Amino acid sequence: MKQDHSEKLPSVAPDSRQAEGPCRTILDNAPDAIILWEFCGADQPFRIVEANRSACERFGYSRQEMLGLTGRELNAPDSYINVGDISRLLSERGYAVYEMAHLSKDGRRIPAEVAGQQFQLDGKTMVVSVIRDITERKRLELRNQGLTSFPLANPNPVLRVNPDGKITFANPASAPLLVQWQPGTDGRLPAPWPDIIGEVFRSGCRKITEITCRNQVFSLTLNPDVENSYINLYALDITDRRRMEDEIKEKRDFLERLNDSLPEAVFNLDHPGHRIVYVNQQVSKIYGYTPRECLGQTMEFLFNSPEDFQDYDGELTRSIERDEHYRAFELFQQNKNGERFPCEIIQNFTHRPDGSLGIIIIVRDISERRQAQAEIEIYQHHLEDMVLERTRELELEIKSRLKAEAELRELFERERSLSTELKKQIEERLLFTRGLVHELKTPLTPLITASDYLEQHLNDDTARSFAHNIHTGALNMEKRVNELLDLAQGEVGTLKIHPSRFNLNELLVSIVGYMRPDAERRNQRLELNLPEQQLFLNADPDRLRQVISNLLANSFKFTRRGGWVKLTVEEEEESVVISVTDNGSGIDESEQPFVFQAYHRGQTSEKSRLSGLGLGLTLSRMFVELHGGRIWFESSKGEGSTFYVKVPINKQGEKDENTHR
């Protein structure tokens, strides 16, 4: 007989008849078997006078059959021989905790731990026993005993420590635990293990805990042997199991999140009973109930009447009997506010791992679909009327289209004739422009050369001034002629660029050096803002020079004396942005849409004093777009303007050297 010196159980005093009902309820719902014995004498010491529901279920007797059974009938013979010692201990101390081997009605042996309390009731000696089934614990103890027989060969860690926490034995497999613990030179385990071991030894009860050793997780069983004053430690590597548990939990959490993200309510019912054991969060949106409010109930509360639910539940049962695993249908249910709504039900059956049948119910609110169907039906009728009307209209339209097709063919022929004539005129215009440029530039060349020579060699200031004016006018005339030729080539698609790799910083410094005298003549400040690093472009330097020079010249024209003009370069990802900013008169909002149109010369009030043909910005846009870039501006009347030119850094020449078309 195994005795335990745990805390003494409280005495049980007789209670009044009024408390019998609640006490009966408590007894019948207790998880352990509880038996009330009456002491009958030395020959038959104890007889059962009361037993709770757990006792009847464990031993296989009805309550009526349990009443009157003796200790000899309920205990195994080898266990019953200790009844005398137990009776003496109860008489001396009034309580005892011990182990017994009971027999069920069918002869099955049931090892149990019994906590007994002796008391007097109406002059009779009574004993109340709280009986706990320790079959599983005995099985584990038997297994552990088998392991202790071969500790050195055991692949799992096995250790033995004394009540003070000092290691007296450790097999080779215990190395990970010893590395983790790092016991002292006297073999004593570090805190808090001595306190844990002392508590286990004093209680005499086995303790199971877990310990992590680097990348390994062990389930550690502390099994006390009070009689021999030591504790055996058995460790089992559960790393893989823990990892699998974590993976299973992660997958379960993922599935729950997936279910909660579904637009339908998902119910899982048990069978039989058809009670809700799981429901996703969508039930709150569809029905207004929380999942907790639904668990443990049948689906009756979701139906308008008990009769409706009985019809549904009966059909569900018949589907199970017919082994009809999948079924879909529509019916009406109600939400928490009592509002009825149509829904689509999809039910399926599945077998759980324990062999029981699970019922999956998917509910989809089809109120909007029903409404849409009704609207579709109305619309279909409307469409039919419209089709009839439209058919009559189409007949008239077909006749009209046949007439229109004939007219279109006539227009097409006319357009083709006009297109041919336009191409001919474009070619003639190009030939004319080229001839005109040639005729204009032929006399300009000696005029430019001669005026330049005279300006350099004449000593008379008046004559030299005349020569300078002639030279400047000739250069301006040559520039206008070149612009006319570029515009004509751009319009007919023959304008080209010739990309090459060059230093942008050096080009801009050269342009500013060339344009600065013009700014100084106007008493304007010209600033150049360059990045510290040198920028290299793959572009046409001559065309970019022409674009920047034109933008600077425009800023000079529209900026008052004493104003300023800034030329700035910023590097962006795979491109550069060149900006020209001034504090001039700005561009009126009404004229901004026409800035890049050919022959547009800015503000009407200033046209009389402005030179040029109004082709600079038109050509600038052509040149920038040939580089695969773009040009734009920001301006407000009276607040100045900023023109931006964005071109790729590594723009490669396209076919035909980037011809503008």
Side-chain angles (χ1 to χ4, degrees):
M1 177 182 65
K2 180 178 178 180
Q3 300 181 3
D4 183 76
H5 303 288
S6 59
E7 184 180 355
K8 182 177 179 181
L9 296 171
S11 299
V12 178
D15 201 358
S16 66
R17 291 295 181 182
Q18 295 178 350
E20 183 176 349
C23 290
R24 180 79 245 176
T25 301
I26 294 172
L27 287 175
D28 285 341
N29 286 278
D32 293 327
I34 301 176
I35 297 178
L36 182 64
W37 304 83
E38 179 185 358
F39 183 73
C40 300
D43 296 335
Q44 291 290 343
F46 294 102
R47 177 176 61 86
I48 297 175
V49 295
E50 188 58 79
N52 71 345
R53 183 186 302 167
S54 296
C56 297
E57 292 175 351
R58 182 175 301 172
F59 297 113
Y61 294 98
S62 66
R63 182 170 177 274
Q64 294 300 323
E65 291 174 332
M66 286 287 290
L67 300 181
L69 290 179
T70 65
R72 185 185 300 277
E73 294 171 313
L74 198 62
N75 292 281
D78 59 328
S79 180
Y80 185 72
I81 60 177
N82 298 315
V83 169
D85 295 334
I86 295 172
S87 299
R88 184 172 60 257
L89 187 62
L90 288 171
S91 298
E92 294 174 355
R93 298 174 56 188
Y95 73 95
V97 179
Y98 47 90
E99 291 185 4
M100 298 288 288
H102 295 137
L103 292 177
S104 65
K105 183 177 181 180
D106 57 5
R108 179 169 50 87
R109 187 181 180 91
I110 305 174
E113 181 182 69
V114 183
Q117 175 81 41
Q118 181 173 306
F119 61 93
Q120 298 296 319
L121 180 64
D122 296 334
K124 297 180 181 179
T125 300
M126 311 294 288
V127 174
V128 60
S129 300
V130 179
I131 305 169
R132 178 165 296 172
D133 188 346
I134 59 172
T135 303
E136 181 63 19
R137 190 174 81 186
K138 285 296 184 181
R139 185 184 67 78
L140 293 175
E141 289 177 354
L142 182 62
R143 186 190 69 177
N144 290 336
Q145 290 175 1
L147 291 175
T148 57
S149 302
F150 307 96
L152 292 175
N154 197 319
N156 297 311
V158 179
L159 301 94
R160 177 172 292 177
V161 298
N162 63 19
D164 296 329
K166 182 178 180 180
I167 300 175
T168 59
F169 170 80
N171 71 344
S174 303
L177 296 178
L178 296 177
V179 171
Q180 176 71 17
W181 280 328
Q182 295 183 357
T185 56
D186 58 351
R188 184 179 174 85
L189 293 176
W193 288 100
D195 295 337
I196 296 174
I197 289 171
E199 180 183 350
V200 171
F201 185 80
R202 287 189 296 273
S203 68
C205 298
R206 181 181 59 176
K207 180 180 178 66
I208 299 177
T209 185
E210 290 185 3
I211 181 172
T212 301
C213 300
R214 295 185 179 178
N215 296 327
Q216 291 178 280
V217 181
F218 291 91
S219 174
L220 187 64
T221 302
L222 290 75
N223 198 10
D225 189 333
V226 179
E227 184 176 350
N228 296 307
S229 297
Y230 63 79
I231 297 178
N232 289 327
L233 278 66
Y234 306 101
L236 180 64
D237 188 346
I238 60 171
T239 305
D240 292 339
R241 187 184 76 186
R242 179 54 54 83
R243 185 180 67 254
M244 293 176 63
E245 290 174 351
D246 292 341
E247 291 176 356
I248 292 173
K249 182 179 181 303
E250 182 179 351
K251 292 179 180 179
R252 184 179 65 248
D253 294 342
F254 170 76
L255 289 176
E256 288 185 358
R257 291 195 300 271
L258 182 62
N259 282 337
D260 290 339
S261 67
L262 294 175
E264 299 89 3
V266 180
F267 295 86
N268 190 350
L269 313 181
D270 62 6
H271 180 75
H274 301 170
R275 295 189 178 275
I276 301 171
V277 297
Y278 169 81
V279 64
N280 67 348
Q281 294 291 337
Q282 196 65 19
V283 71
S284 301
K285 182 177 180 181
I286 295 179
Y287 294 98
Y289 294 97
T290 64
R292 183 181 295 274
E293 291 177 303
C294 300
L295 296 179
Q297 298 193 64
T298 65
M299 297 184 70
E300 181 176 355
F301 68 102
L302 303 178
F303 285 81
N304 187 47
S305 66
E307 292 77 16
D308 291 345
F309 170 71
Q310 290 171 4
D311 293 341
Y312 163 77
D313 196 58
E315 186 59 34
L316 175 61
T317 302
R318 287 187 289 274
S319 297
I320 296 173
E321 293 172 352
R322 295 192 300 265
D323 200 22
E324 187 179 357
H325 284 269
Y326 178 84
R327 183 167 173 258
F329 52 93
E330 295 180 2
L331 49 73
F332 277 86
Q333 290 188 327
Q334 67 178 6
N335 58 25
K336 193 173 184 178
N337 296 328
E339 300 169 347
R340 298 177 75 245
F341 63 93
C343 58
E344 181 182 38
I345 305 292
I346 300 175
Q347 64 185 28
N348 199 359
F349 311 134
T350 180
H351 291 280
R352 300 193 180 104
D354 60 0
S356 63
L357 183 68
I359 305 172
I360 306 297
I361 305 294
I362 300 175
V363 181
R364 180 182 295 121
D365 185 350
I366 59 172
S367 300
E368 294 182 358
R369 190 173 76 186
R370 285 280 185 92
Q371 182 179 357
Q373 288 175 346
E375 293 176 354
I376 289 173
E377 291 178 359
I378 295 174
Y379 189 64
Q380 282 179 340
H381 293 302
H382 179 62
L383 280 179
E384 291 176 358
D385 296 337
M386 291 178 62
V387 167
L388 293 175
E389 180 65 24
R390 184 57 179 162
T391 301
R392 289 190 292 268
E393 293 177 356
L394 284 175
E395 292 175 353
L396 298 175
E397 186 176 347
I398 290 173
K399 295 178 181 179
S400 176
R401 286 194 177 186
L402 291 175
K403 180 180 179 181
E405 287 178 2
E407 294 175 352
L408 285 174
R409 281 193 296 270
E410 181 180 351
L411 290 174
F412 174 74
E413 294 298 331
R414 182 180 177 186
E415 181 183 359
R416 185 167 60 180
S417 175
L418 291 174
S419 176
T420 303
E421 181 66 23
L422 178 61
K423 290 180 180 178
K424 180 180 178 181
Q425 290 181 6
I426 289 174
E427 292 175 357
E428 291 176 352
R429 177 185 176 185
L430 182 58
L431 290 174
F432 172 77
T433 303
R434 288 176 176 172
L436 178 62
V437 168
H438 176 73
E439 293 299 326
L440 291 174
K441 293 188 71 171
T442 298
L444 281 176
T445 302
L447 182 61
I448 292 172
T449 304
S451 60
D452 182 52
Y453 179 83
L454 291 174
E455 185 179 4
Q456 299 296 328
H457 293 84
L458 287 175
N459 295 324
D460 183 78
D461 292 341
T462 303
R464 189 166 55 250
S465 175
F466 289 159
H468 173 74
N469 291 338
I470 293 171
H471 183 68
T472 302
L475 290 177
N476 286 335
M477 177 65 73
E478 184 182 37
K479 181 179 178 182
R480 302 297 177 260
V481 171
N482 289 336
E483 287 180 350
L484 282 174
L485 180 59
D486 288 340
L487 179 63
Q489 290 177 334
E491 290 178 346
V492 299
T494 60
L495 185 61
K496 301 179 180 179
I497 62 172
H498 304 280
S500 64
R501 185 172 175 80
F502 65 93
N503 189 315
L504 179 62
N505 297 50
E506 294 178 356
L507 176 66
L508 296 179
V509 170
S510 173
I511 294 173
V512 169
Y514 179 77
M515 301 292 290
R516 191 176 297 280
D518 194 11
E520 293 175 349
R521 181 172 58 82
R522 300 169 183 265
N523 194 25
Q524 295 171 343
R525 186 174 75 256
L526 176 59
E527 297 180 11
L528 175 61
N529 300 317
L530 295 175
E532 295 181 359
Q533 71 277 12
Q534 298 295 315
L535 295 177
F536 290 87
L537 292 184
N538 187 31
D540 188 331
D542 294 332
R543 293 305 190 184
L544 283 185
R545 177 186 294 272
Q546 190 173 347
V547 171
I548 303 304
S549 298
N550 179 67
L551 294 179
L552 289 173
N554 284 348
S555 290
F556 294 158
K557 290 179 185 179
F558 294 101
T559 300
R560 66 184 180 280
R561 297 182 63 81
W564 52 263
V565 178
K566 296 180 182 179
L567 176 60
T568 305
V569 180
E570 295 181 355
E571 184 179 6
E572 296 185 354
E573 185 178 359
E574 299 184 355
S575 63
V576 295
V577 177
I578 306 169
S579 61
V580 176
T581 305
D582 61 61
N583 64 340
S585 59
I587 303 173
D588 190 84
E589 185 176 355
S590 62
E591 295 195 10
Q592 291 184 8
F594 313 105
V595 166
F596 292 104
Q597 288 185 2
Y599 308 109
H600 181 76
R601 301 177 59 200
Q603 292 87 335
T604 304
S605 61
E606 299 178 348
K607 287 181 181 179
S608 59
R609 67 176 183 84
L610 297 178
S611 62
L613 299 175
L615 301 178
L617 289 177
T618 304
L619 292 173
S620 295
R621 182 168 64 178
M622 289 183 180
F623 296 148
V624 173
E625 291 178 350
L626 283 173
H627 285 85
R630 79 185 176 98
I631 181 172
W632 72 99
F633 68 92
E634 297 174 355
S635 180
S636 297
K637 184 67 176 177
E639 298 180 4
S641 305
T642 299
F643 279 78
Y644 299 92
V645 175
K646 182 175 182 179
V647 293
I649 293 178
N650 295 315
K651 177 67 178 177
Q652 300 295 328
E654 299 175 356
K655 187 176 181 181
D656 295 333
E657 297 179 311
N658 289 29
T659 301
H660 185 274
R661 297 190 182 277

